[in-house]
Amino acid sequence: MKKASKRKKKADPRQVAYARFMFIAAIFGFWFVGIGVRLVHLQVSQSDWLRERAIDQRQDTKKTKLLRGTIYDRDEHPLAMSIRVSTLYADPTEIDDVDRAAKAIAKILKLDQKAVAKDLREGREAKKRYVPIAKKLEDDQVRAVNKELYDPDIKKADEPRYAGFHWVDDQKRTYPYRELAAQVIGFSDAADEGQAGIERSQDELLHGAIIKKLQERDRLGRVYDETVFERERPGDVVLTISTSLQYKTEKALADGVAAANARSGMAVVMDPKTGEILAMANYPTFDPNSIRDAVPANFKNNVVQSAYSPGSVFKLVTYSSGLEKNLFSPSDMIDAGNGTIEVAKHTFRDSHNVGSVTYSEALAHSSNVCAIKTGLRVGKEDFYSTLKKLGFGSKTGIDLPAETAGIVRSPEKWNGDSLASMSIGYEIGVTALQMTSAFATIANNGIRVQPHVIKQIRKDGASPTGPQLAENTRVVSEETARELREMLKQVVLTGTGRRAQLDGYTAAGKTGTAWKFNADTKRVDPTKYISSFIGMAPADSPQVVIAVVMDEPRTGARDGGMVSAPVFKNIAEQILPELGVERDGTPAKNAAVAEIVPETPADPSLLPVSDDESPKPSADPKPKKAAPAVRKEVPEDRTAKTEKKKTDASKKKT
């Protein structure tokens, strides 16, 4: 019985093996089910996220911006160009010791350690991957940072070899000639967006395209494959400006503004035959390399963006319209009477009575009375037609941004004295470029050409192209232009523009002096002037037209003949030889010019009397009685005056 009991207690080895097998199979079954569920979850629910993570680890998309296009002068000197730089940034999520990293960076780049540490901490809390540390560093600075930040224990595929810090390619705009032609060239911001001048008007062409690079990396971060996606490359712009002529123009203008203690000044040099702007200057100016230090008001290109009352230079329109209608010839006589004329109950005056003179002499001495009489003979419609043909009231179309059309009212909106006022350059707003263009039309035998500052546009893989210009238009006849140039020549030889006489060259031009309009009082301000001189040289076959406009000269005599004509002379005598223009005149002597100091008009509401209307400044701010008009003459002028009387007497007898 005992033996039988022992046999029953003995386990069946096959059953044991089976049980163990099933147990292990169950474990593997549950394990496979768990793995399967996990795989299904990963493949179905998280497949997109995992794919992105895998690509992110294996692939790297790198964007590089092509350098912004270059702006050249007419002689291929770079006026604005971009250079490669680098920006150092931090990935705070990769930095373990923020204070240590901030201390290292601050020491090298001479930054505020506390500010850097604060930025890094805030970036880490916000889980930012990009915190800029130092922007637009050049190659030597980059090498210095890489050297100082080198940590042999850090294994990275990129520099600097310091945990959490990386470089990103960037570019920096630089202007090699600093302030030269700053308002014409303009500037672009840190985002490569043009903000003013050519940088703005040609931003689409100059803007640096972005190159996209898709890089395949191994587990160590090494690039083994790269695909490049590239857009159209930026283009370049060649200007009509000459750096040499621009420098000489700017220097002469700055000297003139300083001598007259003026608020500001403008100058333009234009080729009347082609419309090319050889120089365009504004003073004061700015350095586009240091925009943060510049005065924003100086960014404005007043030559094309500011309108002003031109004064007597606008008599160009008056006399050209009269000549075109054959109302007179330059040698015909006109009587200024007693030096006053009343139109629509408004009395206009001359600073001194010129009496009976030729039309050439009337323009030379800038008689308002004679100009008004001429304008009234021309009539509203023809006067308006001429000024519109000369481009006033319309944009010139120059390839610069924010150009203003000026202010010209239609004849039906004129007052009874408007034609008289406009005949001497009031009740109208013009730009310095519009006035330059008008004089260039006369210099170009009556044919108006569109002013432009772009000479050539260059695109990658394409032939250079010129600007799209309007067709040339005839404004006045060749005879009218020739006769008017003769009259303008007399302004320089014997009239208010004698300080514009050139050494070895003949010149023709016109002075202008206008009281500024006060927007607060709605009247002209007799204490503030716009003084100008616009001329051409050589007089018979002009190669250049030069305009000089001074805003609020405050020292000495402030008329256009005193403050602007000498600047014209300074510019012309420097640039004409450089342009290879042959001399057509005699060497100039120190021209003896009569200094006229007229009395201040008793009624400030009257328009200024002429170019020579320049009240003598007084050091005493208290009002004094007006001094009588005085003509100071040197012996040479006295002789010239006697000869003039003999000539006038001879003409009267004839």
Side-chain angles (χ1 to χ4, degrees):
M1 294 296 293
K2 290 182 178 179
K3 290 181 180 180
S5 177
K6 287 181 179 179
R7 288 182 188 145
K8 288 181 180 178
K9 290 181 178 179
K10 189 175 180 180
D12 187 351
R14 287 179 298 178
Q15 188 176 2
V16 172
Y18 178 75
R20 291 175 178 175
F21 172 77
M22 292 302 295
F23 178 74
I24 293 172
I27 291 175
F28 273 101
F30 282 116
W31 184 71
F32 276 116
V33 170
I35 292 296
V37 171
R38 178 61 176 167
L39 287 175
V40 170
H41 172 70
L42 293 175
Q43 291 293 331
V44 176
S45 301
Q46 292 187 306
S47 61
D48 292 338
W49 178 78
L50 288 171
R51 185 182 298 109
E52 290 176 1
R53 286 292 302 274
I55 292 174
D56 185 56
Q57 291 178 0
R58 181 172 56 86
Q59 293 183 346
D60 181 26
T61 301
K62 188 175 182 181
K63 294 181 179 180
T64 303
K65 199 168 191 178
L66 289 175
L67 292 178
R68 184 175 176 84
T70 301
I71 301 174
Y72 298 95
D73 83 332
R74 66 186 300 113
D75 300 313
E76 303 293 333
H77 298 125
L79 300 174
M81 58 188 295
S82 292
I83 58 174
R84 289 287 181 200
V85 292
S86 299
T87 291
L88 181 67
Y89 74 94
D91 182 347
T93 63
E94 299 176 351
I95 300 176
D96 295 327
D97 190 338
V98 169
D99 291 330
R100 177 173 174 269
K103 182 178 180 180
I105 289 295
K107 179 180 179 181
I108 298 168
L109 297 174
K110 298 180 180 179
L111 301 175
D112 186 338
Q113 180 180 339
K114 293 182 180 179
V116 174
K118 179 183 177 183
D119 291 341
L120 294 177
R121 284 197 183 89
E122 291 177 350
R124 188 163 64 177
E125 290 172 2
K127 297 182 179 180
K128 290 183 179 180
R129 303 294 301 274
Y130 180 87
V131 175
I133 302 297
K135 296 181 178 181
K136 301 184 183 298
L137 301 184
E138 297 184 13
D139 289 344
D140 56 341
Q141 296 172 299
V142 172
R143 286 192 294 269
V145 171
N146 289 339
K147 181 179 179 181
E148 294 296 327
L149 283 182
Y150 181 78
D151 186 345
D153 297 329
I154 300 297
K155 305 300 181 183
K156 284 178 61 184
D158 65 328
E159 291 185 308
R161 295 283 290 274
Y162 197 97
F165 290 95
H166 308 273
W167 293 106
V168 63
D169 290 338
D170 205 344
Q171 60 176 284
K172 178 182 179 181
R173 198 67 166 166
T174 182
Y175 302 88
Y177 290 90
R178 299 172 62 84
E179 297 90 351
L180 194 78
Q183 288 85 359
V184 176
I185 300 167
F187 61 93
S188 59
D189 60 15
D192 192 29
E193 301 288 342
Q195 299 299 304
I198 292 296
E199 293 276 34
R200 179 178 173 182
S201 68
Q202 302 301 313
D203 183 62
E204 186 175 349
L205 171 73
L206 295 167
H207 200 80
I210 295 176
I211 298 178
K212 185 178 179 181
K213 295 181 180 180
L214 182 63
Q215 298 176 332
E216 300 283 347
R217 297 180 180 272
D218 61 15
R219 64 185 183 86
L220 296 178
R222 295 172 297 189
V223 177
Y224 65 84
D225 190 24
E226 184 175 79
T227 304
V228 179
F229 303 90
E230 185 175 339
R231 290 174 50 193
E232 183 180 356
R233 302 182 72 84
D236 298 329
V237 178
V238 181
L239 302 184
T240 60
I241 297 291
S242 161
T243 54
S244 176
L245 302 185
Q246 181 74 24
Y247 172 78
K248 290 169 181 175
T249 300
E250 289 189 6
K251 180 66 167 59
L253 179 65
D255 291 344
V257 169
N261 191 23
R263 181 171 177 264
S264 62
M266 299 174 276
V268 185
V269 180
M270 177 177 171
D271 184 332
K273 294 181 174 61
T274 65
E276 291 185 348
I277 302 299
L278 304 178
M280 181 180 288
N282 291 263
Y283 187 86
T285 184
F286 68 99
D287 183 356
N289 291 302
S290 307
I291 290 299
R292 292 183 179 179
D293 301 328
V295 178
N298 295 341
F299 298 162
K300 187 176 181 181
N301 188 345
N302 290 311
V303 172
V304 299
Q305 294 178 245
S306 296
Y308 62 95
S309 295
S312 290
V313 288
F314 204 72
K315 291 171 183 175
L316 178 91
V317 178
T318 307
Y319 286 102
S320 63
S321 54
L323 286 169
E324 189 68 6
K325 287 189 69 174
N326 295 316
L327 298 181
F328 63 88
S329 67
S331 59
D332 288 345
M333 304 297 292
I334 182 171
D335 189 4
N338 64 354
T340 64
I341 184 172
E342 184 173 319
V343 180
K345 298 182 180 180
H346 193 147
T347 302
F348 298 85
R349 305 175 185 274
D350 280 335
S351 62
H352 58 286
N353 185 13
V354 299
S356 181
V357 292
T358 66
Y359 277 88
S360 286
E361 291 169 333
L363 180 62
H365 294 285
S366 201
S367 167
N368 285 336
V369 172
C370 293
I372 290 171
K373 284 186 174 182
T374 303
L376 295 176
R377 288 184 65 193
V378 170
K380 275 187 180 182
E381 298 302 326
D382 288 331
F383 186 89
Y384 180 75
S385 174
T386 301
L387 70 87
K388 291 296 289 183
K389 287 179 182 178
L390 284 168
F392 296 105
S394 304
K395 296 180 180 180
T396 66
I398 193 168
D399 22 36
L400 288 169
E403 182 183 13
T404 179
I407 304 170
V408 175
R409 295 179 298 144
S410 56
E412 57 267 21
K413 296 181 180 179
W414 291 5
N415 301 319
D417 61 349
S418 290
L419 179 56
S421 294
M422 295 178 73
S423 297
I424 57 175
Y426 284 88
E427 290 195 25
I428 188 170
V430 305
T431 66
L433 184 60
Q434 286 175 331
M435 286 304 313
T436 307
S437 177
F439 273 75
T441 299
I442 301 305
N444 194 33
N445 291 323
I447 298 175
R448 182 178 169 224
V449 298
Q450 181 179 331
H452 58 281
V453 74
I454 292 180
K455 186 177 182 68
Q456 203 175 74
I457 290 175
R458 299 173 180 171
K459 292 185 178 180
D460 186 50
S463 300
T465 59
Q468 297 294 322
L469 303 176
E471 292 185 5
N472 296 347
T473 56
R474 178 164 289 283
V475 177
V476 295
S477 67
E478 186 173 343
E479 182 182 3
T480 293
R482 184 175 61 254
E483 289 181 336
L484 192 54
R485 287 200 302 271
E486 286 297 322
M487 295 174 69
L488 294 172
K489 188 191 295 186
Q490 290 304 311
V491 175
V492 175
L493 291 175
T494 63
T496 57
R498 281 174 283 185
R499 287 175 178 80
Q501 292 176 13
L502 305 179
D503 185 2
Y505 296 95
T506 59
K510 184 69 187 79
T511 54
T513 310
W515 284 342
K516 292 183 67 174
F517 181 77
N518 189 318
D520 296 329
T521 62
K522 306 298 182 184
R523 300 172 73 182
V524 292
D525 187 341
T527 66
K528 297 180 179 179
Y529 287 21
I530 292 285
S531 302
S532 60
F533 181 87
I534 305 177
M536 58 194 74
D540 295 327
S541 180
Q543 302 300 305
V544 292
V545 172
I546 302 171
V548 179
V549 182
M550 294 288 190
D551 184 12
E552 295 185 25
R554 296 181 285 255
T555 298
R558 296 169 286 164
D559 58 272
M562 290 294 293
V563 301
S564 298
V567 179
F568 165 88
K569 173 184 172 68
N570 191 353
I571 296 172
E573 288 184 345
Q574 293 186 78
I575 70 172
L576 287 171
E578 184 172 338
L579 292 173
V581 179
E582 294 185 4
R583 297 176 180 269
D584 69 331
T586 57
K589 301 176 182 177
N590 291 330
V593 183
E595 182 182 352
I596 303 171
V597 187
E599 61 183 355
T600 305
D603 182 359
S605 69
L606 295 179
L607 295 176
V609 294
S610 81
D611 291 342
D612 294 321
E613 181 59 34
S614 177
K616 188 174 182 179
S618 172
D620 187 352
K622 296 180 181 179
K624 295 182 179 181
K625 293 183 179 180
V630 179
R631 180 183 294 271
K632 297 180 181 179
E633 298 176 334
V634 294
E636 289 83 356
D637 278 327
R638 194 174 291 123
T639 302
K641 184 176 179 182
T642 304
E643 292 298 321
K644 180 180 177 301
K645 285 184 176 181
K646 291 180 180 179
T647 303
D648 290 345
S650 175
K651 286 181 179 178
K652 288 180 180 179
K653 289 179 181 179
T654 303

